[in-house]
Amino acid sequence: MFEKFLNGLNEKQQEAVTATEGYIRVIAGAGSGKTKTLVNRYAYLVEALGISPKNILCVTFTNKAAAEMRKRVKSLLGNSNDGSLICTYHGFCVKVLREDIHHINYPKNFMILDEDDQKDILTEVYGELGLTIKFMKFDDVLKVISLFKRSYGYVELLTNPSAKIEIPAETPLLSKVISLYLKKQRKYFALDFQDLINFVLYLYEQKPDVKLKWQNRIHYIQVDEFQDSSDKQIGLVNILSAAHKNLFVVGDPDQAIYTWRGAKPEYLVDFDKTHEPCDTIIMNENYRSTPEILNLGNSIIKNNKIRIDKDLFTHNNSGLDVIHYHGKNESEEIKYISETINNLVEHEQVKYSDFAIVYRANYNSRFIEQGFMRAEIPYTMFSGFKFFQRAEIKDCIAYLKMILYADDLSLLRTINNPKRSFGKTKINWLKQKAENDSLSYYETLIKYREEPSFKKTKIKQFIDTIEKYRRSYSNLTISELLRGILDDSGYDEEIRLSGDQERIDNISELLSSIITLEAEYGEKLELDDYLQQIALFSDNDRDVNKNSVKLMTIHTAKGLEFPYVFLVSFNDGILPSYRSLDKGNESGLEEERRLAYVAITRAMKAFYMTESEGLTNYGKRKIPSRFIFEIKQNLFNRVGVLEQELIEEAMEAFRQSNNDEKFINKNKFNIDEKIIHPIFGEGIIKEINETDNQYIIYFSEKDITRPLSMDFKGLAKI
């Protein structure tokens, strides 16, 4: 009866699906089918065990992953399962707070702030304190606020206005900025992303009965991408699983690339020690890549120490050889990339959209973009401006928020948009009246709508539009509501008269996305649910259907796959980064190696690693990444001439960094000792000629014997 949940799964996947009780750790390698396993296990819990979806929490790392999982679960179980507890950490926290935040003196209809909203609040703060951007950039202030919020003790300031909590800052003025920011956040009853989990942890600490309610409700927990979870997120699932002790975590320490966000691969590596007794299942059969690509990835990542040993394997047929391209400069590097892409497109019936160019940091894309423009290769950047951060989209959302919240931030964005002759002077007057009367800006606007100075404005029409839809929005779909507001407010007309086709298209895309969401929802999508979903939306705006080469950072590429992948600027000081090469920063170097591994395992059919000589941003000569020399040399073909002088310079740089001890040649190799050479690969010392200062080495990968100087710094012990 339940075989349908096991059909098409390999032995390890079946073992994971049917492992339902206790602490379970699944080490799922790249391309090993973990999403299918998670979906089938969820369906198995519901159908085979009879567990209600209301008692299963499935945490994913992104909204996109959550949406995909909900869709696949519904295809297995039918629309009767709403999948409401298949969500991100942030999404789950919102559900908890919508239900129970009132226990700590905060309203259930709180707003969720994105980064632009936070900057709007800072604009008000700066205005009231008479500050300009010269004092401190908003991004820097938000970083200070984020540091302050690392401890969730500050929540008391927002839930209890009379609380006295010291706000540490470099200067008294900065402390005042943060204090006023928090007061305004309280005034708007708003929470940012960081607040969401902090409020839940504070709520559970202050109200044990609320914590117990959620512990009793959540019987089973699945966590995807566990290696990317922060200590607070892990603390949350530990609290929730404390009663029933059914915690199923899936991840891969080799793909842990978010330590800068508080994640640590050790959480997954040591899970069996922190959650005893624990069963571990290793899913290492890869369905994505060729053996050539997997062998390359395995060869690099096994140099890390903080990991769980596994070698990915596949039953896929052999494919193209991995290529390492070395150029004399960036012009040669991009020429090789462009010619390779165009050749495959022209002769192998390959599309431009089959290619991805990945790199360590955004600045690495410059020469790629310039080269693609010269070669007339279409490309799309998978980074930069996000769809929901575009001005016209934020305008539309602000109008929807006015209908539901009529909050001060949304009013300030919409009141003179389109122009209603309500400029800065009138807004300052409105703010002062609101302060005096202890009212919101919108309540103040209604109260003084007959103010003589308003006669030459279009404020009455604005109020009438908002009031019309505040009365009727519950009877409308969100798409109908948005169309009506944009039409009645005059916003749609202003956009069309501007002739800006991109803005017009973006609004059409927003409406189209809402209509699609309404159709998929299965029941009426309420306005508050929609605003909550988009507030938590974090994926980049990606035009995945366009026939173009995709350019992105390795961080952005995680979770994606492409037939052909180029890892560009694969140089020491770039990947690995200079910061990771500081003496003693072994954990930083391991993270950089994981980044290289993630880049490699995005590829399905072919993988190219390219680098070139020249100067880095720090004015140093560029040398190939040390990771290239860690790979067995028979696992790739080299295109371009890598001169011996450059190899020796690279070996010396590695030795001086004091991170790659294996590259330090201490002239103490013995006969029959195994070594590795950066070009010839693995070898064995056959003779030692002290007279000529030479090692006689047999290189098995090349089936050659060569005499090498004992002073050569490129030999390393295996």
Side-chain angles (χ1 to χ4, degrees):
M1 178 179 177
F2 307 117
E3 288 183 357
K4 66 177 181 178
F5 303 125
L6 303 178
N7 289 339
L9 302 181
N10 64 39
E11 181 182 346
K12 291 299 182 180
Q13 290 172 329
Q14 290 182 6
E15 185 181 348
V17 166
T18 55
T20 62
E21 308 304 307
Y23 297 125
I24 312 292
R25 176 179 64 174
V26 177
I27 306 302
S32 62
K34 70 179 177 64
T35 301
K36 184 175 183 179
T37 303
L38 281 164
V39 168
N40 284 33
R41 183 179 185 271
Y42 183 101
Y44 187 85
L45 288 172
V46 174
E47 291 287 313
L49 273 64
I51 306 299
S52 169
K54 295 179 181 179
N55 302 124
I56 305 171
L57 172 62
C58 186
V59 181
T60 66
F61 201 65
T62 66
N63 292 285
K64 183 179 179 181
E68 175 64 20
M69 195 168 292
R70 284 194 297 269
K71 181 180 178 181
R72 291 167 70 165
V73 164
K74 283 188 177 183
S75 71
L76 283 175
L77 299 178
N79 288 329
S80 59
N81 175 49
D82 66 357
S84 60
L85 287 180
I86 301 175
C87 53
T88 63
Y89 284 110
H90 289 127
F92 174 73
C93 289
V94 170
K95 294 179 189 299
V96 172
L97 297 175
R98 292 289 185 212
E99 190 170 322
D100 288 312
I101 197 172
H102 64 281
H103 290 293
I104 51 175
N105 304 315
Y106 223 73
K108 292 182 179 181
N109 66 335
F110 60 87
M111 284 176 55
I112 301 174
L113 301 170
D114 63 18
E115 189 173 311
D116 283 352
D117 295 328
Q118 292 176 282
K119 289 179 179 179
D120 287 342
I121 293 178
L122 283 177
T123 298
E124 288 193 59
V125 170
Y126 273 38
E128 292 182 20
L129 295 178
L131 300 175
T132 68
I133 206 70
K134 290 181 180 180
F135 166 69
M136 200 175 202
K137 293 179 181 178
F138 285 174
D139 286 337
D140 294 332
V141 177
L142 291 177
K143 286 177 183 176
V144 175
I145 292 172
S146 179
L147 287 172
F148 174 65
K149 289 184 175 183
R150 282 189 176 178
S151 168
Y152 60 81
Y154 76 92
V155 174
E156 190 173 353
L157 278 175
L158 295 175
T159 57
N160 179 11
S162 62
K164 301 292 184 183
I165 295 179
E166 182 181 352
I167 300 176
E170 291 182 6
T171 66
L173 185 54
L174 181 56
S175 179
K176 198 170 184 178
V177 168
I178 298 171
S179 178
L180 187 52
Y181 175 92
L182 293 174
K183 286 179 181 177
K184 286 190 174 293
Q185 192 180 329
R186 162 76 186 184
K187 175 188 174 185
Y188 301 145
F189 294 124
L191 303 181
D192 62 32
F193 283 10
Q194 203 170 356
D195 296 324
L196 294 174
I197 192 165
N198 286 337
F199 265 64
V200 171
L201 293 173
Y202 180 81
L203 171 66
Y204 285 166
E205 181 183 274
Q206 297 296 313
K207 304 294 178 182
D209 54 329
V210 174
K211 178 176 72 174
L212 183 61
K213 179 185 80 172
W214 283 95
Q215 286 175 330
N216 290 334
R217 181 182 300 182
I218 305 297
H219 293 197
Y220 292 86
I221 301 175
Q222 296 185 164
V223 183
D224 189 14
E225 303 284 14
F226 190 75
Q227 79 281 349
D228 292 333
S229 300
S230 68
D231 55 349
K232 286 183 182 177
Q233 291 167 339
I234 291 171
L236 176 62
V237 295
N238 284 340
I239 289 171
L240 292 169
S241 62
H244 298 285
K245 301 186 185 306
N246 293 320
L247 178 57
F248 180 92
V249 302
V250 184
D252 183 5
D254 292 340
Q255 297 185 74
I257 58 175
Y258 291 105
T259 58
W260 50 276
R261 288 202 307 216
K264 294 179 181 178
E266 290 91 339
Y267 292 140
L268 185 54
V269 171
D270 297 333
F271 186 84
D272 59 332
K273 302 179 183 67
T274 56
H275 297 76
E276 295 181 317
C278 170
D279 290 332
T280 295
I281 301 167
I282 295 181
M283 288 170 33
N284 59 344
E285 181 176 352
N286 177 283
Y287 294 92
R288 174 187 299 157
S289 307
T290 64
E292 288 82 358
I293 293 167
L294 296 184
N295 290 337
L296 188 85
N298 290 335
S299 182
I300 278 188
I301 201 62
K302 65 174 51 177
N303 291 283
N304 272 7
K305 297 175 183 176
I306 304 172
R307 64 187 300 263
I308 295 172
D309 191 39
K310 70 178 188 312
D311 271 350
L312 291 182
F313 71 94
T314 185
H315 294 300
N316 292 340
N317 293 330
S318 290
L320 299 172
D321 288 335
V322 173
I323 299 295
H324 166 219
Y325 174 80
H326 173 78
K328 294 299 180 184
N329 49 55
E330 287 183 344
S331 295
E332 286 190 5
E333 186 176 353
I334 186 56
K335 182 182 179 184
Y336 171 78
I337 294 168
S338 300
E339 289 179 350
T340 302
I341 291 174
N342 278 330
N343 184 56
L344 286 166
V345 169
E346 183 177 351
H347 299 293
E348 302 295 333
Q349 296 182 326
V350 174
K351 297 180 294 184
Y352 284 118
S353 55
D354 289 333
F355 295 89
I357 310 294
V358 299
Y359 33 78
R360 177 62 179 87
N362 278 310
Y363 72 84
N364 298 131
S365 71
R366 175 195 52 76
F367 80 102
I368 299 294
E369 290 188 78
Q370 291 173 343
F372 278 1
M373 284 188 280
R374 285 193 297 270
E376 297 184 345
I377 293 177
Y379 68 90
T380 300
M381 298 291 295
F382 265 42
S383 61
F385 224 35
K386 297 178 182 178
F387 183 75
F388 283 94
Q389 289 181 346
R390 299 178 189 275
E392 60 275 11
I393 302 304
K394 290 192 70 67
D395 292 342
C396 292
I397 302 306
Y399 269 107
L400 291 176
K401 286 182 177 180
M402 278 300 301
I403 304 306
L404 192 62
Y405 306 123
D407 61 284
D408 291 357
L409 292 176
S410 299
L411 181 132
L412 291 174
R413 188 171 190 100
T414 57
I415 194 169
N416 207 38
N417 190 9
K419 301 296 183 186
R420 298 188 177 91
S421 302
F422 205 88
K424 189 173 182 179
T425 301
K426 291 184 177 64
I427 287 174
N428 288 337
W429 181 92
L430 182 68
K431 287 181 177 180
Q432 188 60 55
K433 286 292 184 182
E435 182 74 22
N436 295 341
D437 297 351
S438 298
L439 298 173
S440 71
Y441 295 166
Y442 185 65
E443 290 169 337
T444 306
L445 193 65
I446 292 176
K447 179 178 179 180
Y448 294 100
R449 64 186 300 172
E450 300 299 335
E451 168 68 22
S453 63
F454 292 178
K455 284 184 178 180
K456 293 183 179 180
T457 71
K458 297 180 180 179
I459 285 305
K460 284 188 178 181
Q461 294 94 315
F462 173 73
I463 294 173
D464 289 344
T465 298
I466 300 302
E467 288 300 299
K468 171 185 174 181
Y469 289 104
R470 295 199 84 190
R471 291 190 299 268
S472 63
Y473 80 91
S474 59
N475 298 320
L476 302 171
T477 64
I478 298 170
S479 54
E480 291 170 340
L481 171 63
L482 183 56
R483 281 198 193 98
I485 295 172
L486 295 181
D487 189 38
D488 290 358
S489 66
Y491 187 88
D492 185 68
E493 181 182 12
E494 182 174 86
I495 290 292
R496 295 191 180 280
L497 288 175
S498 73
D500 190 331
Q501 191 59 46
E502 184 177 359
R503 298 181 73 192
I504 294 170
D505 290 345
N506 285 336
I507 293 174
S508 295
E509 177 62 26
L510 176 64
L511 281 164
S512 177
S513 70
I514 293 173
I515 292 169
T516 301
L517 193 59
E518 288 170 339
E520 291 177 349
Y521 210 67
E523 56 189 58
K524 187 175 185 296
L525 177 61
E526 299 297 339
L527 181 58
D528 57 343
D529 288 334
Y530 174 71
L531 291 175
Q532 172 181 307
Q533 285 190 39
I534 61 171
L536 297 177
F537 187 84
S538 61
D539 286 343
N540 285 343
D541 173 27
R542 298 169 176 169
D543 187 2
V544 296
N545 296 317
K546 186 177 179 182
N547 185 24
S548 59
V549 180
K550 306 300 185 293
L551 276 61
M552 67 194 77
T553 64
I554 300 171
H555 284 98
T556 302
K558 187 173 181 293
L560 302 176
E561 59 183 32
F562 298 91
Y564 301 87
V565 173
F566 288 81
L567 172 58
V568 304
S569 298
F570 199 14
N571 297 88
D572 234 49
I574 298 177
L575 182 62
S577 67
Y578 273 120
R579 187 179 301 173
S580 70
L581 300 180
D582 291 340
K583 292 184 179 181
N585 189 14
E586 185 63 28
S587 63
L589 190 62
E590 289 211 359
E591 173 132 352
E592 296 294 303
R593 194 177 283 112
R594 291 193 293 268
L595 277 166
Y597 178 75
V598 166
I600 294 165
T601 53
R602 300 311 93 202
M604 301 163 69
K605 294 183 177 181
F607 181 73
Y608 303 82
M609 42 191 180
T610 73
E611 46 80 24
S612 54
E613 299 171 33
L615 297 178
T616 69
N617 287 353
Y618 297 90
K620 294 184 178 181
R621 184 182 181 188
K622 288 162 65 177
I623 57 177
S625 172
R626 66 191 60 207
F627 297 150
I628 294 173
F629 299 106
E630 292 180 348
I631 306 167
K632 292 182 178 180
Q633 301 296 294
N634 65 331
L635 295 181
F636 62 84
N637 291 335
R638 177 167 288 129
V639 176
V641 178
L642 189 56
E643 295 174 356
Q644 189 68 29
E645 180 185 349
L646 186 60
I647 294 173
E648 294 194 19
E649 183 178 335
M651 295 301 107
E652 179 64 19
F654 303 162
R655 186 190 69 78
Q656 290 181 357
S657 73
N658 203 29
N659 280 328
D660 274 314
E661 291 290 340
K662 68 179 185 176
F663 284 115
I664 301 177
N665 185 350
K666 297 179 180 178
N667 296 334
K668 292 183 179 179
F669 297 126
N670 300 312
I671 291 177
D672 292 334
E673 191 162 29
K674 290 182 179 180
I675 55 86
I676 189 167
H677 185 283
I679 300 298
F680 297 138
E682 291 185 10
I684 187 167
I685 307 290
K686 289 297 186 182
E687 298 178 38
I688 299 177
N689 186 333
E690 297 284 357
T691 304
D692 294 333
N693 193 39
Q694 289 179 332
Y695 295 118
I696 311 302
I697 307 173
Y698 170 69
F699 294 99
S700 56
E701 294 175 15
K702 303 287 187 181
D703 192 23
I704 58 174
T705 299
R706 292 286 185 269
L708 294 185
S709 168
M710 294 173 69
D711 296 325
F712 176 54
K713 298 182 177 66
L715 297 179
K717 293 179 182 179
I718 296 180

